[in-house]
Amino acid sequence: MTDAAKFLPYGRHRVDEDDVAAVAAALRGDFLTTGPRVEEFETEFARATGARHAVACNSGTAALHLAVLAQDLGSGVAAVVPTMTFLATANVVRMTGAEVVFADVDPDTGLMTPQTFKAAIERGRASGAKLKLALPVHLCGQVCDMAGLAEVARAHDVALVEDACHALGVHHVGATTHSDAACFSTHPVKAIATAEGGVVTTADAAMAARMRRLRNHGMTREPEDFQNRDLAFDRNAPNPWYYEMAEMGWNYRIPDVLCALGISQLKKLPVFNARRSEIAALYDRRLSPLAPIIRPVPHGDQAHGWHLYAVLIDFKALGMTRGRVMDWLKSRNIGSQVQYIPVHRQPYYSKRYGALQLPGAEAYYARCLSLPMFVAMSDADVVRVADALAALVAEQAGQRFKERA
Ligand SMILES: Cc1ncc(COP(=O)(O)O)c(C=O)c1O
């Protein structure tokens, strides 16, 4: 197959023979569900992120849900969520019964800033919301101004849980210096893959232990936790069959087999992230002549995980709608995606909270497009995408010239 005939998706996993061998070894072992590889994956994940504790579960959504559950929001309480994110960040708040207050984002990066965070807190409090939590999102692998957000959070007595699903392997993300927890996804388009999977990191040992119970039906087998002493003990010795549930939990367990894949993939995380950075730098160089019609999301020298490579396109100046651009790219075997539709615009949320004016998010959404970005991309693939966009810009300019003549 020639390179041009190969479809380039906007993202995909990279699984090598050593990953396959690791999974096969797990399949030949004694544990398919919870087994020793779960703890090993957690230990390696904590090491890779600089975290004290890592709790693995079966999706990024489950990771966010566990971290939010551990905040004990209670009813009548609300959490701030930037609207430029995947549905899950807001949905996990609703899954606990709490309400969502959507924050606006920077129009060029799509990130919640200390200013948009503060504005959301003030808007939420003015409408009577009891705000207890916020979930900053490290969109595309960019890192939010966590020190700035933490200052606002402290001033308003709001806890922080990071949605770091896009930012595994980025300097300091996961160490939770400025937050209670950070949540990661190991879905195949992310930095490493375990098929489905997620991890919460935290510095709080009690929170980690509680999330481990919550991921397994809220169940404990630790004698010191038992409350029904008459059922639990026989003359001071714990009954061997006994377990107890003191609060509602879920089945969010990640299988041993998937942790085998995670352990193998984690070893390659630095190499994967280095390749993503090379691809981004090559895109930056090749796309620079297309500004201002097409320009990369500005990133300066900041740490970046490059989960996604997003560009901002002035579709009006280009003379083509986003849908037609995506179709045009697809006809040249190039995938693209829009990350994301502002969550407050989803019918579920607009029916619940009414029409909100979040102009930064609207401006970002109107222009963003994610181009192919995955570890197995070659330099030639990147050049093919950039050249296709250059050809599109030239074709459209020619069209405009003809129309004027
Ligand atoms: C920002 C963000 N948060 C949460 C999630 C949920 O992760 P998962 O698909 O592993 O449940 C995703 C997944 O795409 C995401 O992009």
Side-chain angles (χ1 to χ4, degrees):
M1 205 195 297
T2 64
D3 269 358
K6 187 173 72 180
F7 182 74
L8 296 172
Y10 83 90
R12 70 165 274 134
H13 58 276
R14 174 168 166 173
V15 169
D16 301 320
E17 282 310 310
D18 56 342
D19 300 311
V20 174
V23 172
L27 284 170
R28 290 193 189 96
D30 293 332
F31 300 92
L32 293 186
T33 58
T34 304
R37 289 179 184 82
V38 176
E39 205 179 318
E40 190 184 338
F41 180 50
E42 291 179 336
T43 304
E44 291 309 319
F45 202 95
R47 202 194 313 275
T49 51
R52 291 229 188 103
H53 309 278
V55 178
C57 55
N58 55 18
S59 71
T61 307
L64 285 162
H65 192 200
L66 289 173
V68 173
L69 284 166
Q71 298 298 315
D72 288 318
L73 294 184
S75 63
V77 164
V80 173
V81 174
T83 189
M84 189 48 67
T85 186
F86 182 57
L87 304 170
T89 326
N91 289 354
V92 295
V93 173
R94 291 294 304 126
M95 281 154 67
T96 68
E99 300 298 337
V100 176
V101 172
F102 286 106
D104 203 1
V105 296
D106 179 275
D108 286 336
T109 63
L111 295 178
M112 180 166 77
T113 64
Q115 291 74 30
T116 65
F117 180 28
K118 189 159 174 274
I121 292 176
E122 283 164 1
R123 178 165 33 85
R125 295 233 158 114
S127 70
K130 258 173 48 195
L131 284 165
K132 274 182 73 173
L133 176 67
L135 292 111
V137 177
H138 302 307
L139 187 72
C140 301
Q142 308 167 95
V143 184
C144 296
D145 171 3
M146 285 308 297
L149 294 174
E151 204 177 311
V152 176
R154 258 193 314 276
H156 294 86
D157 200 18
V158 167
L160 292 179
V161 166
E162 297 168 70
D163 181 335
C165 287
H166 293 188
L168 174 58
V170 189
H171 201 44
H172 297 316
V173 175
T176 65
T177 316
H178 297 291
S179 68
D180 284 354
C183 304
F184 298 86
S185 164
T186 50
H187 176 278
V189 294
K190 304 294 195 304
I192 63 160
T194 62
E196 298 283 0
V199 181
V200 189
T201 63
T202 179
D204 182 338
M207 183 180 172
R210 181 153 175 225
M211 291 190 295
R212 288 200 172 94
R213 281 196 301 276
L214 291 169
R215 80 174 164 192
N216 189 24
H217 306 280
M219 202 166 113
T220 179
R221 289 184 189 275
E222 300 297 328
E224 62 270 21
D225 294 338
F226 294 158
Q227 298 177 27
N228 283 338
R229 305 203 61 87
D230 54 332
L231 291 177
F233 295 96
D234 181 7
R235 282 161 296 170
N236 290 333
N239 284 316
W241 68 85
Y242 194 72
Y243 55 86
E244 205 167 70
M245 173 193 150
E247 65 174 328
M248 177 53 66
W250 281 258
N251 178 353
Y252 282 165
R253 297 185 308 257
I254 183 167
D256 216 50
V257 174
L258 299 188
C259 287
L261 180 55
I263 296 162
S264 178
Q265 289 256 302
L266 262 183
K267 291 185 190 137
K268 293 179 258 190
L269 179 63
V271 176
F272 282 0
N273 279 357
R275 179 63 193 147
R276 285 178 182 274
S277 295
E278 279 172 11
I279 292 171
L282 183 53
Y283 264 134
D284 282 357
R285 280 200 303 280
R286 302 292 297 206
L287 293 175
S288 63
L290 307 187
I293 293 184
I294 300 179
R295 61 191 176 96
V297 167
H299 55 86
D301 294 331
Q302 271 134 30
H304 201 310
W306 297 113
H307 158 54
L308 296 169
Y309 187 88
V311 289
L312 301 173
I313 303 183
D314 183 340
F315 291 101
K316 196 152 170 243
L318 179 65
M320 211 175 186
T321 63
R322 179 159 49 194
R324 279 185 54 222
V325 170
M326 291 176 78
D327 287 344
W328 190 92
L329 288 170
K330 195 168 168 202
S331 73
R332 281 150 186 85
N333 274 331
I334 297 169
S336 59
Q337 191 50 277
V338 175
Q339 269 105 357
Y340 291 97
I341 302 162
V343 183
H344 75 278
R345 298 280 297 269
Q346 295 295 342
Y348 172 84
Y349 286 107
S350 58
K351 274 187 209 135
R352 194 165 186 89
Y353 302 125
L356 300 173
Q357 300 301 318
L358 300 174
E362 297 295 348
Y364 183 85
Y365 171 61
R367 295 174 298 157
C368 66
L369 191 69
S370 304
L371 303 179
M373 164 58 91
F374 52 93
V375 173
M377 268 180 97
S378 66
D379 285 3
D381 292 333
V382 180
V383 169
R384 174 153 80 85
V385 177
D387 285 354
L389 286 170
L392 176 65
V393 170
E395 198 177 291
Q396 287 299 104
Q399 185 69 27
R400 282 196 300 278
F401 183 75
K402 259 198 259 154
E403 279 163 14
R404 274 203 301 272

